[in-house]
């Protein structure tokens, strides 16, 4: 009989039930969408902040102290310490390998042009294709790590281009001084070899790089006679904002207790990633570029907090909306319930009936709303970040508990009213 | 006159008598309005607030001398082109090579307060120097010369036109802080201009002046062009890495808040509408009775609309205030600064909530008035 009554209620009053289900679906979709976006926004914004370039630099031990001190700003490597090129791939094997978004090695040297001018050359990766032992494929290099460069003539150098010509990119100031244009062929004289390169593009970096020439790493190593050697590595990593533990660890990892050390090592702090890079690259010092690393943390924190607060507001809004409608729709049925009471129904029986009806409706609404919410989250993800928002499994229980709780709370005033209802008065129409 | 009085009486009586229902409706509208005004305020104010956060990345404009050095007056003149409340930090620098333990090191003279404001990411172990005779050294310098916070050291300066019998100038300094930036700043020694002047005996000109200005890329470019154009002694350049990236990231963030606002608003407004519909649909019988008593459709609609508009206005007003309070809370918690009050949001919120309420009421009223009163009263 109970089941029949409920089934009847659905068929007879499907319009009202549909409206309740619809409102609950709206609320649930709002909650799902906002929670998904909120939980994923950190990763997404972190990815965007990669626009500022590397947040970790790796240099050989020794040079970090010596290099620019004596030569006063010159990048000439005088200490004779280098990193090994063959170890580069290891950066993608550290504990937080997944958080290494991009990296590029650099070799610096001076070249002589045909007219006798000396220019600074940097050899690096542009869009170097990496096939990692883990099966991951990655294009790493300055093309993505120098997103603020404007290529004012020509194009970015493409390492996969196999026309057989050696290529280079030239800074704006240098191009103006030497009268170079995109497409020109330039003769470069290095300390141990020389080469003819085709200029693929001229860039405007708004900094010192504007008077330098950029060439692929292997060419630079040939020209300068530094086969297999690199001067520095820039790493762009997705990191967690620093806290006290991270600051303590950054000063001296050995000052931590075992459990603190584990927490630190297994969290993507910039200092723990530096530490792990030092472990795999022999004789290296990895240090955080504070300008990028610290600011990133600040902005991430603020954005996340902002999203949390907006999410809370919309959750409260969704909750009150559902609550309200449930109350309104139960109150509306006072006559029907009065009649039931008049023919002898107990309060408990009526409450059970109403609750079951509402919860069945809520279940359907939540299911629909959940998928609609994922849809909304994806719309936001694709429009803003051009990538999908990953839906965390924890969103499901949160939404279910939220809707259940809210529906129950919405029923409370209505049920209290039902119980105090006097059948004669209601049926009389007062 | 009498008719209007009666109309008002009916509306107020209906609102007051059916208190519990009306509170539900009012609550629904107020929630919608709160979300509307709160999110709109945040959406409009977020770029401004976020921009101050992005100043953590440090200087975004560099003044370089057109000739030998920039004089302080030229910097002041350049700053006068920029709106005062947009200037976050000004850090002039003067570089000279000095010797510590007979080894050369680059010394930079700067205004410590200015450097602190222009480069908030500098991490200082110890204290920033705040009086003469105190210096801050970069981490690499500290490692090389084995300097610690509190150590004393002597810096010497050899005048360029040195002859055999001119003595080197030297000054004693106390290290108050060690600078960690992960950049080339770690190779410098920082001191005040007064100390630098005493040590080198040179005037106060600057080699470079870093500015941190809270403006978008276009505004910055306009400032830079004006400074370079109107002052012959100074060239202003933008730090492209900072300005360009800031615009990229900021526009993403703004788009995010916009889209979230749109989605939340859309869903909330529909939510409000369904609640209003439920509240009004309950009164089908009343509508039927009135029709049976001879009320015209238009007078019924007018009365219900009147109620709806009163509810919408009260709820909207409540929501506008709550929304402002919410935005203020968010701003204080997230950005530690208060929000700019936007008075035009109040009428907008009022209008939107009245509109949503009216549309939501219209649907059930229409369906009730279209039906034969006998059917409605019979309950079919």
């Amino acid at each position: 009989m109970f089941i029949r009554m409920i089934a009847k209620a659905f068929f007879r009053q499907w319009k009202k039930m549909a409206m309740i289900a619809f409102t609950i679906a709206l609320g649930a979709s709002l909650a799902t969408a906002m929670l998904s976006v909120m939980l994923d926004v950190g990763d997404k914004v972190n990815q965007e902040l990669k626009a500022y370039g590397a947040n970790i630099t790796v240099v050989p031990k020794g040079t970090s102290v010596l290099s620019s001190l004596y030569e006063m700003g010159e990048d000439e490597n005088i200490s004779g310490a280098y990193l090994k090129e063959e170890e580069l791939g290891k950066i993608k094997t550290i504990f937080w390998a997944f958080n290494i978004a991009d990296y590029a090695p650099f070799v610096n040297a001076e070249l002589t042009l045909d007219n006798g001018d000396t220019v600074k050359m940097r050899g690096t990766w542009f869009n170097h294709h990496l096939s990692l032992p883990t099966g991951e494929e990655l294009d790493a290099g300055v093309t993505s790590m120098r997103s603020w460069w404007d290529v004012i003539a020509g194009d970015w150098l493409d390492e996969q281009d196999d026309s057989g010509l050696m290529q280079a990119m030239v800074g704006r100031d240098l191009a103006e001084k030497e009268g170079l244009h995109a497409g020109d062929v330039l003769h470069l004289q290095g300390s141990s070899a020389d080469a003819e390169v085709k200029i693929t593009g001229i860039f405007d970096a708004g900094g010192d790089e504007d008077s330098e020439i950029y060439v692929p790493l292997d060419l630079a190593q040939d020209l300068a006679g530094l086969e297999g050697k690199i001067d520095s590595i820039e790493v762009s990593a997705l990191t967690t904002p620093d806290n006290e533990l991270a600051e303590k660890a950054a000063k001296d990892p050995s000052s931590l207790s075992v459990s603190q050390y584990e927490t630190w090592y297994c969290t993507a702090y910039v200092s723990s990633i530096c530490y792990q890079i030092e472990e795999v690259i022999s004789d290296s010092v990895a240090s955080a570029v504070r300008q990028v690393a610290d600011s990133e943390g600040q902005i991430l924190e603020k954005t996340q907090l902002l999203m949390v607060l907006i999410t809370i507001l919309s959750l409260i809004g969704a909750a009150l909306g559902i609550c309200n409608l449930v109350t309104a729709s139960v109150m509306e049925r006072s006559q029907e319930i009065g009649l039931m009471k008049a023919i002898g129904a107990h309060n408990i029986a009526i409450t059970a009936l109403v609750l079951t009806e509402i919860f069945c409706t809520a279940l359907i609404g939540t299911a629909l709303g959940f998928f609609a919410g994922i849809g909304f989250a994806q719309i936001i993800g694709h429009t803003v970040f051009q990538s999908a928002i990953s839906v965390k499994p924890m969103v499901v229980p949160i939404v279910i508990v939220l809707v259940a709780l809210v529906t129950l709370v919405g029923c409370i005033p209505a049920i209290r009213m039902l119980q105090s209802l006097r059948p004669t008065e209601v049926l009389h129409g007062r | 006159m009498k008719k209007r009085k009666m109309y008002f009486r009916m509306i107020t009586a209906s609102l007051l008598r059916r208190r519990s229902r009306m509170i539900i409706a009012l609550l629904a509208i107020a929630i919608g309005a709160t979300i509307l005004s709160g999110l709109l305020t945040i959406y409009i104010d977020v770029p401004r607030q976020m921009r101050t956060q992005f100043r953590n990345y440090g200087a975004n404009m560099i003044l370089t001398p057109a000739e030998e050095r920039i004089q302080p007056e030229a910097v002041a003149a350049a700053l006068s082109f920029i709106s005062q409340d947009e200037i976050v930090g000004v850090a002039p620098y003067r570089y000279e090579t000095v010797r510590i333990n007979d080894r050369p090191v680059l010394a930079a003279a700067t205004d410590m307060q200015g450097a602190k404001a222009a480069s908030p990411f500098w991490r200082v172990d110890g204290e920033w120097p705040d009086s003469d005779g105190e210096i801050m050294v970069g981490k690499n310098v500290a490692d090389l010369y084995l300097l610690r916070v509190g150590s004393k050291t002597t810096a010497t300066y050899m005048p360029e036109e040195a002859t055999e019998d001119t003595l080197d100038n030297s000054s004693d300094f106390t290290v108050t802080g060690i600078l960690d930036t992960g950049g080339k700043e770690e190779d410098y020694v920082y001191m005040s201009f007064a100390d630098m002047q005493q040590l080198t005996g040179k005037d106060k000109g600057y080699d470079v002046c870093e500015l941190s200005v809270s403006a978008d890329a276009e505004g910055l470019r306009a400032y830079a062009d004006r400074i370079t154009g109107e002052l012959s002694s100074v060239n202003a350049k933008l730090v492209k890495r900072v300005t360009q990236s800031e615009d990229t990231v900021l526009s993403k963030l703004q788009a995010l808040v916009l889209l979230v606002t749109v989605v939340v608003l859309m869903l909330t407004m529909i939510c409000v509408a369904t609640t209003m519909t439920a509240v009004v649909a309950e009164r089908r019988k009343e509508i039927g009775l009135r029709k049976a008593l001879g009320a015209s459709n238009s007078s019924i609609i007018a009365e219900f609309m009147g109620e709806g508009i009163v509810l919408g206005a009260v709820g909207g007003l409540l929501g506008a205030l709550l929304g402002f309070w919410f935005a203020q809370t968010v701003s204080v918690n997230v950005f530690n600064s208060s929000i700019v009050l936007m008075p035009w949001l109040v009428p907008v919120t009022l209008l939107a909530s009245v509109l949503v309420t009216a549309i939501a009421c219209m649907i059930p009223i229409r369906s009730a008035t279209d039906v034969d009163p006998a059917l409605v009263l019979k309950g079919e």
Side-chain angles (χ1 to χ4, degrees), chain A residues 41-42 45-47 49-50 52 55 237-243 247 268-270 288-306, chain B residues 50 53-54 56-57 121 123 249 253 334-335:
Chain A
V41 80
V45 173
N46 213 333
Q47 203 69 254
L49 288 172
K50 291 293 128 238
Y52 280 96
N55 49 4
L238 304 177
T239 56
T240 313
D242 273 6
N243 59 8
E247 270 170 36
Y269 296 123
V270 67
V289 180
R290 293 263 163 251
Q291 181 180 15
V292 178
D294 277 14
S295 317
E296 239 172 39
Q298 287 265 357
I299 288 167
L300 265 184
E301 252 170 47
K302 301 284 168 190
T303 319
Q304 267 168 330
L305 194 56
L306 181 70
Chain B
M50 264 299 179
Q53 296 304 319
F54 274 88
N56 273 317
Y57 278 104
F121 57 90
R123 236 181 234 197
V249 179
L253 282 182
V334 179
F335 302 109

Side-chain angles (χ1 to χ4, degrees), chain B residues 353-367:
Chain B
S353 45
V354 167
L355 220 64
V356 170
T357 323
I359 293 170
C361 294
M362 205 60 204
I363 302 162
I365 299 172
R366 260 276 144 75
S367 74

